[in-house]
């Protein structure tokens, strides 16, 4: 059952769709009103705290935040390992969303082997009222293996900003009886209530009790030294323990710290009553919340705790007073079943994997790829608080140079993002050839971002070039959700045309990134992959409106405007409604000015030197990444891939000129669709594109090495090629710059297919075996297999060579088929073996390496399975 508003919207869209676009204007105007309501309804609430195992928040800067925690309560050590933010150090045997539709339904499974519990979080959102509907989450647990574990499960709710929340049950020192009820209000959510309800089927076990001999133990550390023996004591497990307290706005992300501290203090308080005496106490009774609300009037943060033996289940319901009927266990259960079936059907409709002959386990894996990517979507918002300056401008390069990224991975990184980021505007003059200067970083004006993330435990933040890859997949699933995310990113492009590579927004995110890495520089770039996602959108638009790629113009009719403001939900329609030709074009027109600014920024700030050092080029179109160090070019995205050393201002970078060729072509295609007003832009792009293609050949092709290379100078200041066979070499091919009969294509295919070079049984390796840098240093982009580049290779093969006649078509077909099988086979095998998908894969053994789960661009495996490029 869809929301009534959707039905109405769909009906209107149907009219708009079938009518001549020029007389559809009135419908479109009505549409945008409906659309904004629909968008609020379907995207306001979500699992937008992806760094947590489970948490919800609305897409509002300050509002109601919720989260889940748990720990094992069989031993006194348990509370020290409270699970809250996703953390690789927790060593879970796999976790993530197995189904997530991005709007109304999500199902996650978490295997906490160490604590002998498998936790399931099922999330359902239902329409109703004026504030994004209502939602519920069902938290279930069962033992992972033999035994009957005692698990303490905590759920918290907290309000930041204006408004408040109160516990409605009669306070009871023994704990509360189900259901636990809260009432609250905020300016954007209106009046709401929250209920925490015991599951009907929940069986109450008595705890196994433990005798503790207390010998004057004032501190928790002392307490921990005294391992207890077993002995019974009465504890009422049917009670829900609770604690309420005021916390400052912007501090709820610290929930686990607050809870851990509280639990230790309350355990100590309990113990101190029995000083010097033999007492018995249940561990669970010791490590429970103290059933007190501190400062009832001011309290805005509440935690409830349940202690279970063995399997358990409870529900949390968020209800809006503005809705006429409310979510309860029954509606939840029936929706859950229906949503799950609907998800499966839509998944098959979208990706057709059953039809392609994949078996049930492979389809389950594919659903995980999509779902955990969507479950990684987060919302980061402004904070108006004053924040402290943390870093001096030069440290990023110095630190990266000295320590390298290997060291970085040791830092715990499980933050969420919220607020401003640090930008160093004074560093614009910094040049690689000179000494880095001490500069004056500033916090930007507060930012806001709705984005997918590379990895929930490790990089739960927005990364510019990762995001374009994410949106290739999300766009196939939910066109409008993807366009909305793209809109937020495009909004972040500033008036100079710059956007920071990594979005470390706010205190929580910053707290987990070493100070040296927080500053973002306004002359540092990152590949403009968002344009790949926008191209995919244009392809969908063409397909849905029956237009073809080369169709020159599709003018926007009067009244079709995509309201493009920073934070508004205007005209965002659920699912695929921006594929309506008029609205789709209006969207393109709305984002175009920022895209052009960004393109101009690239041409201005990343310009390479062509006139000197005896170079022969037909135009100025040459490029150089700024922000290099001897070992790294973080800005390129290919971090430690070998380049000229030492870095110097004479360099020209092959990947960057290839990206520029790609972006120029795409902007040309957008501008030509937007109509006459953009004709001048079109001819400019046309000229620049031709110059770029010429310079890729003139400057970057090395006849001597038979490959495309970076360019630099030698000790005599003569221009030379810097050649390291690997991903870099492939860029003109990856980005579609080589027509099927191009004379350099064969050499490139041979490099790809050669087992002594790039070919491995697990996908293309980033650097050839034969390169002196292969497997050296951090071994990050010096050998391991990365799925984003393998995807680009497969996509290019498929679109440009497998399905186009040409002298190497047969070769392309074979490479395509084998490469596709290799990458799918290996990522799948590793998922089955480890419970995770990974940041990269070993070229020797195929084993997953580094961050996990990494359902960022590794999830492109799904598009490879579906052959949707
Ligand atoms: C900064 C923080 C632990 C590295 O997936 C995100 C990026 C990619 O864009 C890039 O191409 N990853 C790739 O080479 C991870 C980046 C991690 C940045 C860490 C320091 C340390 O805290």
């Amino acid at each position: 059952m869809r929301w009534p508003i959707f039905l109405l919207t769909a009906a209107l869209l149907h009219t708009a769709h079938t009518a001549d676009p020029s007389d559809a204007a009135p419908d479109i105007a009505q549409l945008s009103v409906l659309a904004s309501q629909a968008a609020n309804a379907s995207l306001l609430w979500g699992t937008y705290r992806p760094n947590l195992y489970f948490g919800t928040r609305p897409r509002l800067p300050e509002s109601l935040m919720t989260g889940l925690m748990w720990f094992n309560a069989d031993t006194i050590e348990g509370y020290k390992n409270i699970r809250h933010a996703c953390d690789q150090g927790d060593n879970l045997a796999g976790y993530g969303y197995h189904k997530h539709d991005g709007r109304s339904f999500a199902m996650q499974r978490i295997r906490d082997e160490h604590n002998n519990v498998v936790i399931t979080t099922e999330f359902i959102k239902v329409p109703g009222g004026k504030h994004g509907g209502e939602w519920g989450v069902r938290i279930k647990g069962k033992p992972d293996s033999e035994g009957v574990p005692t698990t303490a499960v905590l759920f918290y709710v907290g309000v930041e900003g204006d408004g408040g929340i109160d516990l409605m049950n009669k306070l009871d020192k023994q704990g509360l009886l189900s259901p636990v009820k809260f009432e609250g209000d905020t300016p954007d959510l209106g009046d709401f209530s929250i209920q925490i309800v015991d599951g009907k089927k929940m069986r109450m076990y008595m705890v196994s009790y433990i005798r503790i001999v207390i010998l004057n133990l004032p501190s928790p550390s002392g307490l921990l030294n005294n391992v207890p023996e077993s002995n019974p004591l009465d504890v009422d497990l049917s009670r829900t323990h609770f604690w309420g307290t005021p916390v400052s706005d912007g501090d709820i992300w610290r929930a686990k710290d607050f809870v851990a501290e509280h639990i230790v203090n309350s355990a100590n308080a309990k113990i101190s009553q029995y000083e010097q005496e033999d007492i018995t106490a249940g561990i669970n009774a010791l490590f429970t919340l103290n059933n007190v609300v501190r400062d009832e009037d001011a309290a805005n943060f509440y935690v409830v705790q349940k202690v279970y033996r063995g399997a358990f289940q409870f529900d949390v319901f968020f209800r809006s007073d503005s809705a006429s009927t409310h979510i309860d266990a029954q509606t939840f259960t029936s929706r859950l079943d229906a949503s799950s079936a609907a998800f499966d059907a839509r998944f098959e409709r979208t990706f057709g994997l059953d039809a392609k002959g994949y078996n049930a386990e492979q389809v389950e894996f594919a659903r995980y790829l999509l779902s955990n990517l969507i479950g990684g979507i987060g919302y980061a918002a402004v904070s108006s608080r004053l924040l402290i300056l943390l870093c001096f401008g030069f440290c990023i390069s110095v630190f990266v140079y000295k320590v390298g990224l290997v060291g970085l991975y040791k830092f715990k990184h499980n933050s969420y993002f919220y607020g401003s980021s640090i930008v160093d505007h004074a560093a614009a003059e910094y040049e690689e050839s000179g000494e880095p200067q001490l500069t004056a970083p500033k916090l930007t004006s507060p930012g806001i971002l709705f984005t997918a993330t590379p990895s929930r435990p490790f990089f739960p933040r927005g990364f510019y070039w990762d995001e374009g890859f994410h949106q290739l997949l999300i766009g196939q699933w939910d066109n409008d959700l993807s366009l909305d995310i793209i809109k937020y990113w495009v909004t972040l492009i500033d008036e100079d045309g710059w956007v920071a590579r990594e979005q470390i927004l706010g205190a929580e995110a910053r707290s987990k990134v070493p100070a040296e890495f927080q500053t973002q520089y306004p002359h540092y770039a990152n590949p403009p992959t968002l344009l790949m996602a926008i191209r995919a959108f244009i392809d969908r638009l063409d397909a849905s409106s029956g237009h073809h790629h080369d169709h020159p113009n599709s003018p926007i009719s009067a009244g079709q405007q995509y309201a493009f403001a920073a934070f508004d939900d205007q005209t965002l329609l659920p699912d695929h409604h921006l594929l309506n030709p008029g609205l789709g074009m209006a969207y393109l027109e709305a984002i175009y000015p920022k895209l052009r600014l960004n393109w101009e920024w690239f041409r201005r700030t990343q310009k390479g030197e062509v006139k000197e050092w005896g170079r022969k080029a037909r135009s100025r179109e040459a490029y150089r990444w700024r922000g290099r160090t001897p070992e790294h070019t973080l800005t390129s995205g290919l971090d430690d891939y070998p380049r000229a050393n030492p870095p110097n201002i004479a360099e020209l970078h092959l990947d960057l000129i290839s990206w520029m060729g790609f972006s120029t072509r795409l902007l040309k295609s957008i501008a030509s669709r937007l109509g006459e007003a953009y004709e001048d832009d079109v001819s400019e792009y046309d000229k620049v594109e031709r110059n770029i293609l010429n310079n890729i050949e003139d400057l970057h092709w090395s006849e001597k090495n038979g490959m495309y290379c970076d360019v630099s100078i030698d000790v005599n200041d003569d221009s030379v090629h810097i050649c390291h066979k690997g991903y870099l070499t492939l860029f003109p091919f990856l980005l579609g710059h080589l027509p099927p009969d191009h004379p350099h294509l064969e050499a490139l295919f041979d490099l790809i297919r050669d087992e002594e070079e790039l070919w491995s049984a697990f996908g293309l390796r980033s650097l050839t075996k034969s390169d002196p840098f292969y497997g050296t240093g951090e071994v990050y982009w010096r050998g391991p297999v990365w799925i984003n580049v393998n995807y680009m290779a497969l996509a290019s093969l498929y679109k440009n060579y497998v399905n186009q006649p040409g002298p190497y078509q047969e070769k392309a077909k074979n490479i395509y088929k084998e490469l596709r099988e290799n990458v799918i086979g290996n990522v799948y095998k590793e998922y089955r073996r480890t419970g995770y998908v990974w940041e990269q894969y070993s070229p020797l053994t195929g084993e997953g390496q580094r961050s996990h789960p990494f359902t960022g661009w590794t999830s492109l495996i799904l598009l490879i399975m579906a052959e949707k490029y």
Side-chain angles (χ1 to χ4, degrees), residues 408-409 413 454 459 463 465-466 513-514 517 637 639 780-781 854 857:
L408 300 184
Y409 281 87
H413 194 268
F459 315 120
F463 287 82
W465 94 297
D466 295 64
V513 182
F517 292 92
D639 297 16
Y780 201 30
W781 294 83
F854 188 101
W857 57 44

Side-chain angles (χ1 to χ4, degrees), residues 116-371:
N116 193 17
V117 63
V118 181
I119 292 186
T120 311
T121 67
E122 294 162 327
F123 177 76
I124 283 285
K125 214 161 67 189
V126 299
K130 301 194 186 85
H131 305 282
E134 303 194 333
W135 56 264
V137 56
R138 178 160 292 169
I139 316 260
K140 292 196 289 207
K142 60 173 207 262
D144 185 49
S145 55
E146 300 272 287
V148 186
T150 312
T151 310
V153 189
L154 302 108
F155 197 89
Y156 64 86
V157 297
V159 168
E160 297 188 334
D162 293 339
I165 182 165
D166 297 311
L167 176 58
M168 302 311 288
N169 300 53
K170 191 167 155 293
L171 300 191
D172 186 333
K173 268 288 186 192
Q174 303 308 307
L176 310 171
L177 291 170
S178 172
V180 178
K181 290 184 184 172
F182 296 97
E183 284 182 12
D185 68 283
T186 75
D188 298 295
L189 297 176
D191 292 333
F192 61 82
S193 66
I194 291 171
Q195 291 217 0
I196 299 173
V197 189
D198 284 346
K200 275 206 191 95
K201 279 178 276 174
M202 194 189 79
R203 278 173 294 168
M204 289 296 174
Y205 293 87
M206 291 309 285
V207 216
S208 69
Y209 298 104
I210 295 168
R211 177 187 170 89
I212 304 181
V213 181
I214 304 292
L215 295 166
N216 194 12
L217 301 171
S219 72
S221 50
L223 187 153
L224 294 173
N225 289 332
N226 287 267
V227 180
E229 319 157 19
S230 290
N231 192 29
L233 173 86
D234 278 343
V235 151
D236 187 352
L237 278 186
S238 63
R239 297 279 175 159
T240 300
H241 300 286
F242 64 97
W243 174 51
T245 183
V247 307
S248 310
D249 286 349
D251 266 356
I252 285 177
W253 65 273
R254 298 173 189 274
K256 175 174 155 177
D257 296 345
F258 300 147
V259 168
E261 191 191 339
H262 170 84
I263 285 184
V264 169
N265 289 341
S266 89
N268 276 332
K270 285 170 198 162
I271 289 164
S272 64
Q273 298 168 17
Y274 302 101
E275 259 178 82
Q276 306 284 355
E277 288 169 36
D278 272 12
I279 59 140
T280 49
I283 292 285
N284 55 64
L286 212 49
F287 293 100
T288 50
L289 302 167
N290 68 359
N291 298 326
V292 164
V293 175
R294 201 164 69 84
D295 195 350
E296 266 182 67
D297 289 340
N300 59 337
F301 174 76
Y302 298 86
V303 193
V304 299
Q305 178 184 27
K306 291 160 175 296
V307 183
Y308 298 110
R309 287 280 292 163
F312 59 85
Q313 176 177 326
F314 67 93
D315 296 335
V316 179
F317 298 119
F318 168 85
R319 294 174 175 173
S320 169
D321 285 11
S322 64
S324 50
T325 60
H326 294 301
I327 187 168
D328 59 19
Q330 218 182 335
T331 51
F332 184 97
T333 305
S334 64
R335 275 201 176 252
L336 188 67
D337 296 342
S339 302
S340 184
F343 177 90
D344 294 352
R346 177 168 159 205
F347 190 86
E348 178 58 19
R349 241 181 6 255
T350 310
F351 299 108
L353 299 190
D354 290 343
K356 274 185 179 288
Y358 288 101
N359 66 32
E361 272 103 53
Q362 291 162 331
V363 171
E364 189 282 325
F365 157 70
R367 286 183 193 138
Y368 174 81
L369 294 174
L370 173 75
S371 302

